Amino acid sequence: MRRPRPALTTTAACALTAALAVGTLSAPAQAAPADPVPADTTAGGLRFVDITGADGTVLKANVVTPARAAAGDRHPVIVLPTSWAVPQVEYLAQATQLADSGYVVVSYNSRGFWQSGGEIEVAGPPDIADASAVVDWALANTPADPERVGMAGVSYGAGISLLAAAHDPRIKTVAALSGWADLIDSIYSGRTQHLQAALLLGGSGLLTGRPSAELKQILGDFLGSKLDKEQEMIDWGKKRSPATHLDALNANGTAVMLGNAWGDSLFPPNQYADFYEKLTGPKRLEFRPGDHATSEATGLLGLPNDTWTSARRWFDHHLKGEDNGVDGELPVRVKSRSTGAYESYPDWKSVGADSRKIDLASTHTIRANVDSGANGGIIFLTNILDQLIRTPPMASMPLLPRRYAAVWQSERYTGGAAVRGTPELHTTVTPTKSSGTFVAYLYDVGPLGVGKLVTHAPYTFHDREPGRPFAVDLELYSTAYDVPAGHRLAVVVDTVDPLYIEHNPSGAQLTFSSPADDPGHVSVPVREK
């Protein structure tokens, strides 16, 4: 693995810190003793408190209890770990609304951030122990019902919630919003480092928290492209992935709601969809347009928000026992990026039950190390624009330089096409060097040849024999996009994208071919008419 450009040093390394904001494989954590019970645990309103977490670390927290709670009453409790780099006031608007409807809500700043003690462990064993300690504190210091415990969170809080529920069977219900199920599949998909995500997250982690020595080492190895440390880094990430703890989560029978955005720059939707399909307890999956945490953002301000409304209904049914119809609804709910319309399905595989195939019949050789003009955009900005005004990144197919980009196009879709799910690329690659990176894009192309980005994904290889072809299967990021009637779909492959670290040696070339016995193609999932 060649060393990336010098510009990606300390800042980049710290950035990935956050991208690796996840949870770990560890034995069930032992919580610290609860703080002394105050004289009146039923007094309603907001209190700012200190909670003793794992290893004596002080966690800054706040608790909101229902007003006019009668002595002896027990209420369902929801624990909210904060997002990466966000202070403990993050959930106050939602906590107040939940308390008004009868919940005890405890929100705490994750260790290593802001005024909470400790170091950033990336949802490691201390973080999971902290979650159990907060549950202990809530049961001892508030009118919380030990039989009705839930957890929720956005981003880092979502990952910690899923991991904590796998380790602590008291947690009956989870709403994990804009989180991850598989850390490696999120930040190292296609064996490619996600650069902009790493820079953003690592920088924010440094500004607002204290990264642990282990995290600094992992980040340095990851962004330093140290292949000899690759398996160690993968093992580290897998331990911090809820997917690794799937059996425990299923054994606990936890009711899990997963929500994410189609354009999530940190935790792409594919890994959530795969995780959802393997859950055996009560479950719900929702995807909407936007980027990381943008689907939940207005709800954090106390404004009406579809994602938080769904989470509230999920808790009302599973913690309060309300007959609100959640259990009778189709559990997979997706919103089209193009129309803004919601669709419901019985499971994930039904989302794109039909398919269209684009043949990659012609052979193309491209030169590496030059951005052709096809790219995934800028982290957050691109997908927020797509969310708000439905304007994804664009590129002119006729103007893309064929020296640096391979292009294939479908026939015109006279009736249009509703792309739903995960497109898959299959091709044969012949490199001139042993390492390399390419990025595959799927575009919606109008009559003038201007393409709007539907989805994309990167792919990196190492230790290949130059001149020897090898087959590649690559999942593009899942999406919901409606191709207008009369438009085509185009597949574009080039070697540079600002979102990722690329590993193409100087002078490298890549040839994409379609052997007769193993033809290249892109399978595009579409909604059945």
Side-chain angles (χ1 to χ4, degrees):
M1 197 188 259
R2 75 178 179 85
R3 180 170 293 278
R5 307 178 191 91
L8 312 175
T9 53
T10 306
T11 308
C14 296
L16 172 69
T17 276
L20 301 177
V22 234
T24 175
L25 172 68
S26 68
Q30 299 299 313
D35 293 346
V37 181
D40 181 7
T41 61
T42 64
L46 167 66
R47 287 185 290 146
F48 288 89
V49 298
D50 289 349
I51 297 176
T52 304
D55 59 32
T57 295
V58 174
L59 305 173
K60 295 296 182 177
N62 59 71
V63 56
V64 189
T65 50
R68 298 179 299 278
D73 280 357
R74 288 292 178 180
H75 299 268
V77 58
I78 298 175
V79 174
L80 300 167
T82 54
S83 303
W84 185 270
V86 181
Q88 58 157 307
V89 295
E90 175 183 13
Y91 301 113
L92 273 184
Q94 284 299 319
T96 301
Q97 293 177 14
L98 286 164
D100 288 344
S101 62
Y103 290 93
V104 173
V105 185
V106 183
S107 175
Y108 69 95
N109 232 120
S110 304
R111 69 165 49 223
F113 286 105
W114 294 90
Q115 293 177 314
S116 282
E119 297 179 327
I120 301 171
E121 302 287 348
V122 194
D127 293 296
I128 309 310
D130 286 345
S132 288
V134 173
V135 172
D136 287 344
W137 184 93
L139 297 179
N141 294 274
T142 75
D145 186 344
E147 299 301 318
R148 295 186 291 169
V149 179
M151 284 192 72
V154 175
S155 185
Y156 195 45
I160 290 175
S161 294
L162 286 171
L163 287 157
H167 288 83
D168 192 335
R170 295 177 300 176
I171 301 167
K172 307 297 184 185
T173 307
V174 168
L177 312 177
S178 290
W180 72 91
D182 187 324
L183 181 57
I184 297 302
D185 200 33
S186 296
I187 60 170
Y188 196 44
S189 63
R191 210 179 176 186
T192 308
Q193 297 105 318
H194 294 208
L195 173 61
Q196 288 185 19
L199 290 171
L200 177 70
L201 289 171
S204 62
L206 270 185
L207 288 172
T208 61
R210 299 166 298 281
S212 67
E214 180 186 35
L215 176 56
K216 292 175 182 176
Q217 180 66 49
I218 289 290
L219 288 172
D221 292 343
F222 185 91
L223 289 170
S225 301
K226 296 182 179 179
L227 265 185
D228 60 329
K229 298 286 187 178
E230 183 180 38
Q231 191 56 53
E232 181 180 326
M233 290 184 281
I234 289 174
D235 292 342
W236 184 87
K238 289 297 182 183
K239 290 177 181 179
R240 290 163 160 76
S241 297
T244 303
H245 307 274
L246 179 69
D247 289 345
L249 202 59
N250 285 336
N252 290 341
T254 313
V256 177
M257 173 187 161
L258 304 173
N260 204 355
W262 294 120
D264 195 313
S265 299
L266 308 184
F267 309 125
N270 304 43
Q271 42 93 36
Y272 246 19
D274 291 343
F275 182 65
Y276 171 83
E277 287 289 86
K278 296 172 184 175
L279 290 168
T280 58
K283 57 184 180 179
R284 186 177 182 92
L285 177 67
E286 299 187 353
F287 286 133
R288 296 177 173 85
D291 207 308
H292 184 69
T294 62
S295 295
E296 302 85 22
T298 55
L300 293 174
L301 300 176
L303 301 174
N305 179 275
D306 286 355
T307 303
W308 284 105
T309 297
S310 289
R312 179 85 56 82
R313 294 180 68 232
W314 188 250
F315 283 123
D316 286 348
H317 179 72
H318 290 286
L319 292 184
K320 285 186 175 180
E322 289 187 5
D323 185 14
N324 58 12
V326 163
D327 56 330
E329 297 171 355
L330 294 177
V332 176
R333 192 169 185 236
V334 304
K335 187 176 184 180
S336 168
R337 291 167 47 204
S338 306
T339 67
Y342 280 105
E343 302 163 3
S344 296
Y345 299 87
D347 49 39
W348 174 247
K349 65 178 178 291
S350 299
V351 173
D354 202 353
S355 66
R356 303 281 181 91
K357 184 175 285 188
I358 303 174
D359 292 327
L360 309 182
S362 54
T363 297
H364 294 272
T365 297
I366 60 174
R367 298 187 179 187
N369 302 308
V370 175
D371 189 341
S372 70
N375 64 67
I378 301 172
I379 188 172
F380 285 124
L381 176 62
T382 291
N383 290 310
I384 289 175
L385 288 175
D386 188 40
Q387 177 183 1
L388 297 178
I389 58 176
R390 297 174 189 167
T391 305
M394 293 184 283
S396 171
M397 297 301 108
L399 296 182
L400 288 176
R402 277 17 181 206
R403 197 175 192 179
Y404 306 111
V407 181
W408 300 265
Q409 296 194 75
S410 73
E411 75 284 359
R412 295 187 187 278
Y413 298 121
T414 56
V419 179
R420 299 290 186 273
T422 310
E424 298 179 2
L425 175 145
H426 177 78
T427 187
T428 296
V429 179
T430 305
T432 59
K433 305 289 185 180
S434 61
S435 294
T437 296
F438 69 84
V439 184
Y441 307 88
L442 185 66
Y443 282 96
D444 158 28
V445 183
L448 298 180
V450 176
K452 294 182 177 181
L453 186 64
V454 177
T455 185
H456 76 286
Y459 183 89
T460 294
F461 60 88
H462 299 286
D463 301 322
R464 291 288 179 176
E465 181 182 339
R468 186 185 183 108
F470 62 95
V472 170
D473 289 291
L474 175 64
E475 284 191 351
L476 278 61
Y477 301 142
S478 305
T479 194
Y481 182 96
D482 293 88
V483 179
H487 285 212
R488 307 173 186 267
L489 284 173
V491 178
V492 177
V493 176
D494 72 3
T495 62
V496 176
D497 190 305
L499 288 170
Y500 309 106
I501 293 178
E502 50 88 8
H503 299 272
N504 295 297
S506 179
Q509 296 184 34
L510 299 176
T511 297
F512 298 89
S513 60
S514 181
D517 60 346
D518 188 20
H521 65 274
V522 170
S523 178
V524 181
V526 296
R527 185 185 64 204
E528 289 182 325
K529 293 185 178 179

